[in-house]
């Protein structure tokens, strides 16, 4: 299958090349389709790489040190301890996004790149002490992250396929007498306990415990809503309808709505 390369322009910012506009420009860089334009597309990587550099120069943008064709197929170096990537850490995410088909073998097993693993690699990447234009991750940690992500994907597929997950939670609680003997106050206290567990898991950077605490919190919220005479689905929908059209900005990692 012949691949198409897109030469895109974010006015006043940059000109670049990608195979996937949505992932590279919208998801990674945060620009909506209305905020950028496609200047040209081609299946000829040599042509599109040359055109990118020409337009970067003519528009007065920073010119890439390497043409896109030299970045397209990332050549990584795997040793017993580490996997090293041939780019600076601040460029790693974009280059990995352009190499989503990348697979390589470590001493612990074969790695297959995807969006979630890219995020882990970027967060845990280290700048090489010998060359700042290279960065690396440790293979053992990489393999554990890869296997954990695959397990999470299986769990996510189960949840997606189970459309009545909230009904299942309510049935589970009903069968155990929680709705007959429990009350809103006890569930509110239970929710505080679960949020405390979540905070502890986040501080310890323990992904498994984070997942467990979030799941437990959702279960408690489902039961708390039921005991209050509501369905959690309606509560979620009401909250989404309220926030869906909000405008604001991110301040210190928190979304602050406009007054």
């Amino acid at each position: 299958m012949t691949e198409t390369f897109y030469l895109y322009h974010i006015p006043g910012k940059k000109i670049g090349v990608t195979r996937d506009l949505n992932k590279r420009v919208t998801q990674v860089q945060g620009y909506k389709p209305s905020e950028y334009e496609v200047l040209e597309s081609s299946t000829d990587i040599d042509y599109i790489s040359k055109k990118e550099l020409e337009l970067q120069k003519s528009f007065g943008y920073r010119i890439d040190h390497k043409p896109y064709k030299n970045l397209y197929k990332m050549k990584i170096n795997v040793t017993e301890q580490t996997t090293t990537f041939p780019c600076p850490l601040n460029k790693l995410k974009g280059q990995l996004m352009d190499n989503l088909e990348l697979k390589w073998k470590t001493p612990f097993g074969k790695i297959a790149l995807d969006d979630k693993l890219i995020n882990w690699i970027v967060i845990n990447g280290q700048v090489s002490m010998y060359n700042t234009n290279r960065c690396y991750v440790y293979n053992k940690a990489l393999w554990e992250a890869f296997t954990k992500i695959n397990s999470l994907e299986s769990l996510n597929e189960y949840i997606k396929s189970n459309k009545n997950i909230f009904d299942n939670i309510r049935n589970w609680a009903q069968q155990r007498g929680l709705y007959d003997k429990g009350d809103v106050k006890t569930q509110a206290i239970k929710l505080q306990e679960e949020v405390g567990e979540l905070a502890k898991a986040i501080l310890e950077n323990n992904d498994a415990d984070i997942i467990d605490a979030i799941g437990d919190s959702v279960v408690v919220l489902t039961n708390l809503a039921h005991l209050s005479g509501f369905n959690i689905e309606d509560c979620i929908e009401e909250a989404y309808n309220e926030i869906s059209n909000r405008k604001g900005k991110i301040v210190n990692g928190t979304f602050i709505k406009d007054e």
Side-chain angles (χ1 to χ4, degrees):
M1 180 178 177
T2 303
E3 290 188 291
T4 300
F5 304 95
Y6 299 93
L7 184 62
Y8 66 90
H9 177 214
I10 303 172
K13 300 294 183 181
K14 66 175 293 186
I15 285 176
V17 174
T18 184
R19 293 174 297 152
D20 192 324
L21 291 165
N22 181 55
K23 286 185 177 178
R24 182 66 187 269
V25 187
T26 301
Q27 294 183 18
V28 174
Q29 300 183 52
Y31 291 96
K32 299 176 182 177
S34 60
E35 295 177 314
Y36 65 86
E37 57 186 339
V38 177
L39 301 176
E40 201 166 342
S41 63
S42 175
T43 57
D44 186 339
I45 192 172
D46 291 320
Y47 168 79
I48 209 74
S49 298
K50 182 179 179 181
K51 197 68 176 178
E52 178 191 27
L53 299 179
E54 290 177 355
L55 290 179
Q56 286 175 344
K57 183 177 181 180
S58 65
F59 276 78
Y61 296 135
R62 183 183 64 81
I63 301 174
D64 290 341
H65 295 297
K66 294 182 180 180
Y68 178 78
K69 66 179 181 179
N70 291 349
L71 303 174
Y72 173 54
K73 292 185 178 180
M74 180 178 284
K75 294 182 179 180
I76 62 175
N77 181 48
V78 180
T79 65
E80 182 178 353
Q81 293 294 325
T82 63
T83 291
T84 300
F85 306 95
C87 65
L89 185 58
N90 63 348
K91 300 287 185 181
L92 182 58
K93 186 167 187 177
Q95 294 203 26
L96 290 176
M97 291 297 291
D98 276 329
N99 285 269
L100 277 172
E101 79 292 341
L102 195 62
K103 297 179 180 179
W104 67 94
K105 189 175 183 180
T106 74
F108 301 93
K110 191 173 183 179
I111 302 294
L113 202 60
D114 63 13
D115 292 356
K116 292 183 177 62
L117 189 61
I118 286 176
N119 289 333
W120 183 92
I121 291 172
V122 172
I123 291 171
N124 292 277
Q126 304 289 322
V127 178
S128 170
M129 64 182 295
Y130 305 107
N131 185 347
T132 56
N133 287 320
R134 299 173 70 83
C135 53
Y136 67 92
V137 292
Y138 287 100
N139 288 329
K140 188 174 188 303
L142 174 65
W143 175 251
E144 290 181 354
F146 175 67
T147 53
K148 185 179 296 183
I149 287 170
N150 283 344
S151 297
L152 292 179
E153 287 297 327
S154 298
L155 176 60
N156 288 337
E157 287 302 317
Y158 167 76
I159 293 174
K160 289 177 182 178
S161 65
N162 191 333
K163 298 180 180 179
N164 298 314
I165 189 69
F166 292 117
D167 283 339
N168 290 346
I169 293 172
R170 286 186 286 262
N171 289 337
W172 170 88
Q174 185 68 57
Q175 292 170 7
R176 285 157 180 77
L178 192 150
Y179 295 151
D180 295 329
K181 298 178 182 179
D183 57 43
V184 174
K185 292 180 181 179
T186 59
Q187 289 303 298
I189 294 172
K190 181 65 175 174
L191 180 61
Q192 290 179 331
E193 293 177 1
E194 298 299 347
V195 172
E197 291 294 325
L198 176 59
K200 180 174 181 289
I202 291 172
L203 290 173
E204 294 176 351
N205 197 27
N206 188 321
D207 290 346
D209 285 350
I210 290 173
I211 295 167
D212 185 63
I214 290 174
D216 286 345
S217 297
V218 172
V219 170
V220 174
L221 283 168
T222 303
N223 294 330
L224 194 157
H226 183 84
L227 287 165
S228 300
F230 309 111
N231 283 336
I232 191 171
E233 299 95 316
D234 297 330
C235 298
I236 293 171
E237 184 176 1
E238 180 71 20
Y240 176 75
N241 288 339
E242 184 176 340
I243 68 171
S244 59
N245 294 317
R246 276 183 185 169
K247 295 182 180 180
K249 58 185 177 181
I250 300 296
V251 178
N252 296 327
T254 300
F255 180 80
I256 305 297
K257 67 178 179 179
D258 293 338
E259 294 296 337

